[in-house]
Amino acid sequence: MPSLNYATTLLAAADASIGGKTGVNTPVATNLIGVFHQPKKVYIDLAAWRTLPVRELRSGLAETIKHACIADAGFFEFLERNMDKVVTSEGELVLDREVCQRIALHNCEIKYGVVEKDELESNLRQILNLGHTAGRALEALSGYELLHGEAIAIGLAIQVRLAEQMGFVSSDEKLRVIALLQKAGLPTEIPATITDRMLINKMYTDKKVRKGLIRFVLQEGIGSMKRFEDGSYSTPVEERVLTELLEKVRH
């Protein structure tokens, strides 16, 4: 059945409306059931963003920051300079038209550029999962009380710390990513109600898991992704390493 997508949120404009995924969430995990079905057209109406609660607007900014981390250092710097023209730290929606237009356009360009090369997520499209290994687990564990972008923001903070630990980003780059998430008003810490054991167990339901090993996609600096020796954009991470990392995150 031919379909059109009309994105009424920034989250949809940045992510869900583009790429043809029709996945649904379940109590077990997020976005595991569905098919690929590309829309004939996608419409983005910036006026709709003004109708959003600030929390929903911020949720979409998480995917926007993710795209900048993946593919465009210049876009990341633009967000650093202009985040307060979208939303202030006090939660006031500003939504400068020129800034929002650039955000809408760059989100589409970055995601479309990836999906065009790997529609069915055989390898490259995995990079769009940056922050999602832990993020989707947190979203499900919260009973979906965490909005998608809020969970992904925490997941981005976890992966950038892991990327630093593995030598793919510098300490300064890690701090910049976390600072930008916080400037957007997004959480970067694991909720106290979710234990490390709960989080690790839930990450085993991630779609990237192979041979019983949790896999992460990781930044290489800001604006590019690490491609590993076997050509894959994801790498297995031992549970011991994750346990040690999560303990550091909480302290």
Side-chain angles (χ1 to χ4, degrees):
M1 180 181 297
S3 63
L4 306 177
N5 283 343
Y6 190 101
T8 57
T9 67
L10 173 53
L11 184 66
D15 186 38
S17 66
I18 306 160
K21 281 190 179 179
T22 62
V24 297
N25 295 336
T26 71
V28 175
T30 69
N31 201 27
L32 282 178
I33 302 170
V35 297
F36 293 93
H37 181 71
Q38 298 295 341
K40 295 297 183 184
K41 289 185 179 180
V42 174
Y43 292 97
I44 295 172
D45 185 353
L46 298 183
W49 297 8
R50 294 195 172 275
T51 70
L52 299 176
V54 65
R55 194 176 166 207
E56 287 284 354
L57 193 282
R58 284 169 162 162
S59 182
L61 287 171
E63 291 285 357
T64 301
I65 292 168
K66 179 203 77 176
H67 284 151
C69 289
I70 285 170
D72 194 331
F75 186 36
F76 189 94
E77 292 167 5
F78 174 83
L79 294 173
E80 288 180 310
R81 294 192 307 271
N82 293 283
M83 188 59 71
D84 59 355
K85 293 181 181 177
V86 181
V87 61
T88 67
S89 56
E90 292 79 24
E92 178 189 357
L93 292 183
V94 180
L95 298 175
D96 177 88
R97 185 168 183 81
E98 287 186 11
V99 173
C100 290
Q101 283 178 335
R102 181 163 177 182
I103 285 173
L105 180 61
H106 271 59
N107 277 323
C108 291
E109 287 175 341
I110 290 168
K111 184 159 188 183
Y112 182 79
V114 173
V115 172
E116 185 180 32
K117 295 172 185 172
D118 180 16
E119 181 183 11
L120 302 182
E121 203 164 318
S122 60
N123 186 18
L124 178 64
R125 188 167 176 164
Q126 289 185 68
I127 69 174
L128 297 173
N129 272 215
L130 188 72
H132 283 56
T133 301
R136 281 208 184 100
L138 287 164
E139 189 179 3
L141 285 168
S142 75
Y144 300 101
E145 289 187 9
L146 280 173
L147 297 181
H148 178 71
E150 293 169 339
I152 296 312
I154 301 168
L156 286 169
I158 290 171
Q159 73 76 30
V160 79
R161 289 182 172 103
L162 180 60
E164 180 201 22
Q165 187 170 300
M166 297 176 75
F168 306 143
V169 302
S170 67
S171 175
D172 179 64
E173 288 165 336
K174 174 198 72 176
L175 293 173
R176 285 177 64 198
V177 171
I178 294 171
L180 183 56
L181 292 166
Q182 292 172 342
K183 191 172 185 180
L186 289 159
T188 56
E189 301 293 332
I190 301 166
T193 54
I194 298 173
T195 67
D196 295 348
R197 184 71 263 163
M198 291 166 64
L199 179 53
I200 288 172
N201 285 347
K202 183 58 74 173
M203 282 194 279
Y204 279 109
T205 67
D206 185 76
K207 61 188 175 182
K208 296 185 296 300
V209 168
R210 298 288 184 274
K211 299 180 180 178
L213 295 172
I214 298 169
R215 300 179 70 91
F216 275 74
V217 293
L218 297 165
Q219 291 177 238
E220 187 168 39
I222 290 175
S224 62
M225 295 293 291
K226 176 65 178 176
R227 190 170 190 179
F228 297 92
E229 290 182 3
D230 62 357
S232 176
Y233 284 95
S234 65
T235 189
V237 179
E238 293 180 12
E239 188 176 306
R240 171 187 57 80
V241 174
L242 289 176
T243 301
E244 292 173 358
L245 176 72
L246 294 176
E247 287 176 355
K248 291 177 185 176
V249 169
R250 291 191 190 267
H251 295 92

